């Protein structure tokens, strides 16, 4: 295993093509959530800073002008390239596919062996989480971080509980999610791609093993206003106009 990972080229697709509709509906934010300034830097910039020490290629996906501005101060360490950003698509999966196809257009020899898919709205990913995902790819086609579900889960129909779902085996999935690059690219090109809820599901359906590694309760995705409150405690204050 020790000989396996150092020879692997790792790329990260940084997703920033979403509209942040749930967040905007709750706040008066004039900018999409991934571009909000938190602790002096845009959310997406924090995500890029967290990923870049682990990868050889960073591939941002989203609207070019906003991404170029948000990532303008980012300096890649030697041996790492920040690829020109590519536009995303209608759905998250369309945006992932756009990133995969951009990486596949790289010359032979520069294409990655492994690819991480990361939510640009997830700014506080601990280094050990990203490391664990990459390490697990020495033995698996895919690996995702997650945290055990702590709450009791109830299934409800028409306002009435029908049953209690045993939570022992349940995890909340996070990103970055890691995959063998060629495997994920080929599955995305296949017919099942449009039905999958996430990239791990594409592998699961095709019968590939996807490992679950330890995520972090701090690896918060900015989805609702309350997530911003938790992220402010970890990172610093936001410039969001208060409502
Ligand atoms: N994303 C993307 N392309 C899309 C949709 C989402 O690149 N068509 C990205 C978002 O920018 C975000 C990540 O995928 O970084 C996770 O998605 P989510 O949290 O759902 O963000 P939004 O889709 O922007 O938010 P909402 O669903 O509330 O509109
Ligand atoms: Mg969404």
């Amino acid at each position: 295993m020790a000989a396996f990972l150092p020879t692997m080229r790792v790329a990260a697709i940084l997703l920033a093509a979403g509209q942040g509709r749930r967040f905007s509906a709750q706040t008066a934010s004039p900018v999409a959530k991934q571009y909000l300034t938190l602790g002096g830097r845009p959310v997406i910039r924090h995500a890029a800073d967290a990923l870049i020490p682990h990868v050889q290629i960073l591939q941002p996906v989203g609207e070019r002008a906003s991404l170029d501005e948000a990532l303008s101060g980012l300096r890649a360490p030697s041996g790492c390239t920040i690829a020109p950003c590519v536009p995303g698509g209608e759905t998250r999966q369309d945006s992932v596919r756009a990133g995969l196809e951009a990486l596949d257009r790289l010359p032979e020899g520069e294409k990655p062996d492994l690819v991480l898919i990361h939510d640009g709205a997830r700014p506080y990913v601990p280094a050990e989480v990203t490391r664990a995902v990459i390490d697990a790819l020495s033995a698996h086609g895919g690996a995702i971080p997650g945290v055990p579900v702590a709450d009791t889960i109830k299934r409800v129909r028409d306002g009435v509980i029908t049953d209690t779902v045993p939570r022992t085996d349940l995890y909340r999935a996070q990103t970055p999610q890691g995959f063998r690059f060629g495997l994920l690219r080929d599955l995305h090109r296949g017919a099942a791609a449009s039905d999958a809820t996430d990239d791990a599901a594409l592998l699961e359906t095709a019968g590939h093993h996807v490992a679950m590694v330890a995520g972090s309760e701090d690896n918060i995705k900015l989805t609702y206003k309350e997530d911003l409150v938790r992220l402010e405690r970890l990172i610093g204050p936001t410039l969001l106009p208060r409502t």
Side-chain angles (χ1 to χ4, degrees), residues 11 73 90 95 237:
E90 196 60 34
S95 298

Side-chain angles (χ1 to χ4, degrees), residues 15-22 33-34 89-92 95 119-121 221:
L15 296 172
Q19 308 288 309
R21 289 196 177 90
R22 285 168 288 181
K33 60 185 184 178
Q34 64 272 29
E90 196 60 34
T91 66
R92 184 182 182 280
S95 298
D119 295 329
K221 179 161 73 73

Side-chain angles (χ1 to χ4, degrees), residues 199-224:
D199 301 291
L202 270 178
L203 269 74
E204 293 156 32
T205 308
H208 295 276
H209 283 173
V210 180
M212 175 64 80
V213 305
S216 164
E217 293 291 349
D218 292 341
N219 187 11
I220 297 158
K221 179 161 73 73
L222 180 53
T223 306
Y224 296 108

Side-chain angles (χ1 to χ4, degrees), residues 126 128-130 132-133 144-148 171 174 211-217 219:
E128 59 270 25
V129 171
T130 306
V133 169
I144 75 170
V147 290
Y171 281 72
Q174 302 181 337
M212 175 64 80
V213 305
S216 164
E217 293 291 349
N219 187 11

Side-chain angles (χ1 to χ4, degrees), residues 73-233:
L74 190 64
R75 297 285 167 264
S78 83
C80 177
T81 311
I82 302 166
C85 63
V86 292
E90 196 60 34
T91 66
R92 184 182 182 280
Q93 286 303 82
D94 292 336
S95 298
V96 172
R97 196 168 311 120
L100 290 170
E101 292 300 345
L103 292 170
D104 197 57
R105 286 192 291 273
L106 289 169
E108 221 50 61
E110 287 182 34
K111 291 184 195 190
D113 303 295
L114 307 176
V115 64
L116 304 177
I117 314 292
H118 188 59
D119 295 329
R122 214 179 271 273
Y124 200 78
V125 47
E128 59 270 25
V129 171
T130 306
R131 203 63 260 163
V133 169
I134 295 172
D135 285 350
L137 294 175
S138 62
H140 302 276
I144 75 170
V147 290
V149 169
D151 301 323
T152 299
I153 304 290
K154 304 286 187 188
R155 183 174 283 116
V156 177
R157 283 206 189 94
D158 300 326
V160 175
I161 295 171
T162 58
D163 61 320
T164 300
V165 183
R167 68 176 179 219
T168 349
D169 302 330
L170 296 183
Y171 281 72
R172 285 186 284 123
Q174 302 181 337
T175 74
Q177 304 196 342
F179 306 93
R180 303 291 180 105
F181 173 70
L183 175 62
L184 188 64
R185 176 204 57 204
D186 292 350
L187 288 171
H188 260 274
R189 287 174 177 172
S194 53
D195 301 331
T197 51
D198 72 355
D199 301 291
L202 270 178
L203 269 74
E204 293 156 32
T205 308
H208 295 276
H209 283 173
V210 180
M212 175 64 80
V213 305
S216 164
E217 293 291 349
D218 292 341
N219 187 11
I220 297 158
K221 179 161 73 73
L222 180 53
T223 306
Y224 296 108
K225 199 171 172 179
E226 52 268 32
D227 301 313
L228 188 65
V229 175
R230 292 171 65 208
L231 285 166
E232 280 191 288
R233 274 191 225 119

